[in-house]
Amino acid sequence: MKSNEMYNTLSQVYFYMIQDHRGDWGMDIHQWDWVPGVGIIAIADYGSKLKQESVIRYVLEWVEMNKDKSEVKKTINSMAPFAVFPALYRAKQQSWFLEKSQEIVSWMIDEAPRTREGAFEHTVTEKVAFQEQVWADTIYMAVLFLARYAGLTQDRKAAEEALRQTMLHLRLLQNPDTGLLFHGWNCEAGNHMSATQWNRANAWIMIAVPEIVMEIRGIIEIPDELNERYAKLAKGLRDRQAEDGLWHTVLDRQDFYKETSGSAGIACGFIKAVRAGMLDTSYLALSRLTLESVLRLITSKGEVTGVSGGTAVKPTIEDYNRIRICPTLYGQGLTMQLFVESLLIE
């Protein structure tokens, strides 16, 4: 696909996101939680990286309209929207973005619930507890913000915490046999629960880790172990990519459906990691294959299809194949991020 065609499709995906979807859990952008958070991260990246001033204005307006909702309940999963604050501060030099970021970083480091290993416990806004559980999602939802803040301020303590959380999650979630990541770890039980190598769990870490590394490596030293674990994860994903460039919703179950958002996130992670010097350039061809398939899954109105709904760690692997398919802001967002990164390397 030519660049201008990709720009047009990217614009359609964006405009579909910012329409009035009130009452739709997956598409209502005017909330302060992880679902709109992933969407607004992608929109902000689109605006800043491709120099779309109107898109940046939308992000500023979104923050102004929704910032009071961030005060209702602090959870690790609802940290996601704060990841746009460092870039907004750089662009506009409004002190509130920096001051609020400092407040949230202090909460995360000093007050956020942790498991016995010291990892952020996966806390959510819904009335449900995942006590002593570590989920792959947290690296994108919370640790990405920590790293971006560290990159902005050169704050060593924030950089060290971002690295600490990244390493803890990789160590607790990575399957030593396949290199792939399990969805979650129960610290109390000492197991991976259903031990599911879930597509989107791997995508959250694939896409976030290269950026985390690029933000903090000028502040603290990155251990070889991180690069080795990431490369092993990438190889495991490479080995399980389907011929059309997508990945099944459970990576080692070819009888399960293929899932768009996780596939886009994994492919985007490949590009980011090549740019960060963490993977060789052969991974770019794999991302292009994914891109071509994802493009075919976008409707004329900009809706990304084939996206699985919100997914807690399920009791059995088979349960993951029964998750409903619906449009979501994170499906739109991960797809947008793949498009943006693909355009940047053309």
Side-chain angles (χ1 to χ4, degrees):
M1 176 173 275
K2 295 179 181 179
S3 294
N4 61 338
E5 294 175 306
M6 201 186 309
Y7 272 108
N8 290 337
T9 304
L10 180 54
S11 177
Q12 290 175 325
V13 171
Y14 164 63
F15 282 114
Y16 185 70
M17 293 172 78
I18 64 174
Q19 291 174 17
D20 186 354
H21 296 284
R22 280 176 291 187
D24 182 334
W25 174 88
M27 287 300 301
D28 185 353
I29 201 166
H30 292 298
Q31 304 297 324
W32 196 279
D33 207 346
W34 74 274
V35 176
V38 177
I40 208 69
I41 288 169
I43 290 171
D45 281 1
Y46 169 39
S48 62
K49 292 180 178 180
L50 298 185
K51 303 187 187 313
Q52 303 288 315
E53 188 60 36
S54 65
V55 178
I56 296 172
R57 284 198 302 272
Y58 174 83
V59 177
L60 287 164
E61 291 166 1
W62 182 90
V63 172
E64 183 62 31
M65 190 181 303
N66 296 288
K67 64 184 182 182
D68 290 345
K69 298 171 186 175
S70 71
E71 305 297 331
V72 176
K73 186 178 182 181
K74 287 188 176 75
T75 70
I76 282 296
N77 226 23
S78 64
M79 294 294 102
F82 290 113
V84 304
F85 279 31
L88 291 178
Y89 178 74
R90 283 192 179 99
K92 302 301 176 181
Q93 293 295 301
Q94 294 177 15
S95 60
W96 180 80
F97 288 113
L98 181 59
E99 292 162 3
K100 189 64 179 180
S101 294
Q102 291 167 337
E103 174 193 323
I104 296 303
V105 167
S106 294
W107 177 82
M108 291 174 69
I109 293 176
D110 299 330
E111 300 180 47
R114 295 174 185 253
T115 69
R116 61 194 65 191
E117 289 96 342
F120 289 142
E121 184 178 281
H122 189 78
T123 53
V124 298
T125 54
E126 295 88 352
K127 293 182 179 178
V128 61
F130 301 105
Q131 186 174 342
E132 288 280 343
Q133 289 189 23
V134 176
W135 291 17
D137 313 45
T138 294
I139 296 298
Y140 189 101
M141 306 308 164
V143 181
L144 178 59
F145 163 64
L146 267 180
R148 286 182 172 186
Y149 172 81
L152 171 68
T153 62
Q154 298 297 291
D155 186 310
R156 186 176 181 86
K157 187 175 181 181
E160 288 172 344
E161 190 61 50
L163 177 60
R164 181 182 300 113
Q165 292 299 323
T166 301
M167 294 307 304
L168 279 168
H169 281 71
L170 286 171
R171 289 166 180 163
L172 291 171
L173 297 174
Q174 192 160 38
N175 183 335
D177 297 324
T178 65
L180 302 175
L181 305 173
F182 295 109
H183 187 178
W185 167 260
N186 188 312
C187 302
E188 190 172 28
N191 62 38
H192 292 104
M193 296 171 278
S194 60
T196 305
Q197 297 174 134
W198 180 47
N199 171 326
R200 200 159 60 234
N202 284 257
W204 295 131
I205 287 184
M206 279 300 299
I207 195 171
V209 167
E211 184 173 346
I212 291 168
V213 168
M214 286 190 285
E215 291 283 3
I216 67 174
R217 65 185 173 191
I219 308 169
I220 58 174
E221 185 176 350
I222 305 299
D224 291 341
E225 182 187 351
L226 187 154
N227 291 299
E228 291 164 0
R229 285 184 177 275
Y230 189 88
K232 187 172 183 178
L233 167 59
K235 183 181 182 304
L237 290 165
R238 180 177 198 152
D239 291 345
R240 286 158 184 82
Q241 187 179 30
E243 289 185 3
D244 62 0
L246 301 177
W247 282 267
H248 296 270
T249 195
V250 174
L251 295 165
D252 52 349
R253 289 294 298 266
Q254 294 184 6
D255 54 324
F256 284 17
Y257 67 84
K258 295 169 187 171
E259 203 278 334
T260 309
S261 69
S263 296
I266 291 166
C268 181
F270 285 167
I271 300 172
K272 283 177 172 279
V274 170
R275 185 177 295 114
M278 299 175 69
L279 294 177
D280 66 67
T281 56
S282 67
Y283 282 89
L284 296 179
L286 306 183
S287 70
R288 284 193 291 271
L289 185 61
T290 307
L291 176 67
E292 291 298 328
S293 283
V294 170
L295 284 164
R296 292 193 289 269
L297 295 169
I298 299 170
T299 69
S300 59
K301 62 181 181 181
E303 178 186 304
V304 179
T305 65
V307 176
S308 62
T311 307
V313 177
K314 295 299 179 184
T316 71
I317 291 174
E318 285 69 25
D319 289 327
Y320 285 80
N321 202 36
R322 293 189 279 267
I323 301 296
R324 75 186 183 102
I325 304 297
C326 58
T328 70
L329 290 163
Y330 54 83
Q332 303 286 126
L334 290 171
T335 298
M336 283 184 72
Q337 288 191 277
L338 172 59
F339 285 7
V340 169
E341 295 301 321
S342 297
L343 285 166
L344 289 175
I345 62 171
E346 284 203 346

